[in-house]
Amino acid sequence: MEVEKMDENEWKYHGEGNQSLVVSHCQVCVCGGGLRRVTAEEILHHLQNIVDFGKHVMKQFFGENYVHHGEIIQLPLDFVRQLCLKIQPERPESRCDKDMDTLSGYAMCLPNLTRLQTYRFVEHRPILCIEIKPKCGFIPFSSHVSQEIKHKVCRYCMHQHLKVANGKWKRPSKYCPLDLFSGNKQRMHFALKSLLQEAQNNLKIFKNGELIYGCKDDQDCVSDWNELACHLKPFFFPSNGLVSGPHCTRTIVKELIHVITMTLLSSTDACRAGDMKTVPVSQGRSYCEASAFNKELVRNGKHKLESSGLPRGCLLYKTLQAQMLDMLDIEGLYPLYSRVEQYLEEFPEERSTLQIDGPYNEAFYEKLLDLSTEDDGTVAFALTKVQQYRIAMTAKDCSIMIALSPCLQDECSEQRPVVLTSKSRFTFSVSVLDLDLKPYESIPHQYKLDGKIVNYYLKNVQAKDDPVMSNLFKENEDCTLVLHKV
């Protein structure tokens, strides 16, 4: 039996074949000044919300083939208890005081995304799977931003320094999401190489469902390139014609980066979001001043920062569009959240009508399509922006799973997506996961965290940087007229 931690509230059990089970923690809620255990009906409702949100909302943004919303099943309680005993030794120490739900028997049945999701004919062959958590791919363009640094340096690059200071990571990563989302292959290759150098929790590689590269938790990382090359060599050089050594390792890693880039830029699905009015990707800056790639260009006297743009049908483009529903930034969103909160204090019975806790149905999705930013002072406007922000935060924290399997030339056809390397060809599937809607209650935390990240960066990083660097970047910046309210 194979078990994997999904997030702080869920564990995944990989059963036989191509399916997985997700079992939630047994939750406790405050009621009448005391604590009570969540009922089986409430757990069922919670899981149904997750399924409905994936089916009726995120599938509309990402596409039928990319999103796997799963289904709710009921398991024998004896099996659930045995499962909980089995995974207990694997749980992080910080989570051992949280009891698993062994009373309701409800769970979600989901496909094992480390396996190909489209074509069963290659299931008997080795499967390589790359999991990437790309994070936020744009710089805030909202006029509500109070610190100019947020218009220049992306959230991820700023947050790296705070995480290192807090001891979460030993060193900052050179990865910048804006490079990956640029659509420029050179920048994408640099971003992926940076992820391979410092995977943190943003990259994992599986072979036949087993983790061979990346972090199992915050500190336990497997990041030996030579060992990775030994795993990958049969995939990329099946004839074993490549000698061993550093050159071999670099060549194999280069092939891997090429394959990941091509699959991320591929278009294998259509969705309704492609037909909706989208947020212009051109809004805001297309590069981050803190990006190691851009800094290297500046040092070499090259100030032209290429951003080729993403193909509209690829998963990165769809992810970016969902992320850019955060049109106001948390600074512009927080006052609207406060407006909704004030309304709920006066009319608490309206919470269900506002669909804050679901149901996440077609009607919920339709309300998300209003991209207006002119505040008319109503609760309806504030609620729409709050819900869009929750969608955006979900997209900013999602993971992309790329499953690859070698295929012979006579097995490949136009109906099967294929990516080529110098010596091999792969059929592949691309999926997105971690699409649980971010909690409404987390918005105050996000507001405070944003302030901490920016203040730490301004005090401890920007003040130490070369002041000439900012001027060099300005030479490449397009002239844009920005109107601010006075």
Side-chain angles (χ1 to χ4, degrees), residues 144-157:
H144 297 281
V145 168
S146 61
Q147 298 284 1
E148 185 61 23
I149 192 66
K150 289 174 65 175
H151 287 310
K152 298 177 180 179
V153 178
C154 77
R155 164 73 171 256
Y156 180 88
C157 288

Side-chain angles (χ1 to χ4, degrees), residues 330-345:
I330 186 62
E331 293 187 65
L333 188 281
Y334 190 72
L336 300 180
Y337 164 81
S338 299
R339 185 187 301 171
V340 176
E341 275 292 276
Q342 184 178 354
Y343 179 79
L344 289 175
E345 287 179 10

Side-chain angles (χ1 to χ4, degrees), residues 225-226 229 242-254:
W225 275 26
N226 292 324
L242 194 66
V243 296
S244 60
H247 176 73
C248 170
T249 296
R250 288 193 297 269
T251 301
I252 292 174
V253 170
K254 186 177 179 180

Side-chain angles (χ1 to χ4, degrees), residues 38-51:
V38 175
T39 66
E41 289 74 18
E42 288 170 320
I43 291 175
L44 175 60
H45 177 72
H46 169 70
L47 293 177
Q48 189 62 57
N49 267 347
I50 295 175
V51 172

Side-chain angles (χ1 to χ4, degrees), residues 5 7-11 25 88 91-100:
K5 184 176 183 288
D7 59 29
E8 291 191 348
N9 292 313
E10 296 172 329
W11 283 79
H25 279 152
Q88 189 65 25
R91 301 178 73 187
E93 185 177 342
S94 61
R95 305 302 300 173
C96 286
D97 61 335
K98 307 289 184 180
D99 294 330
M100 301 292 288

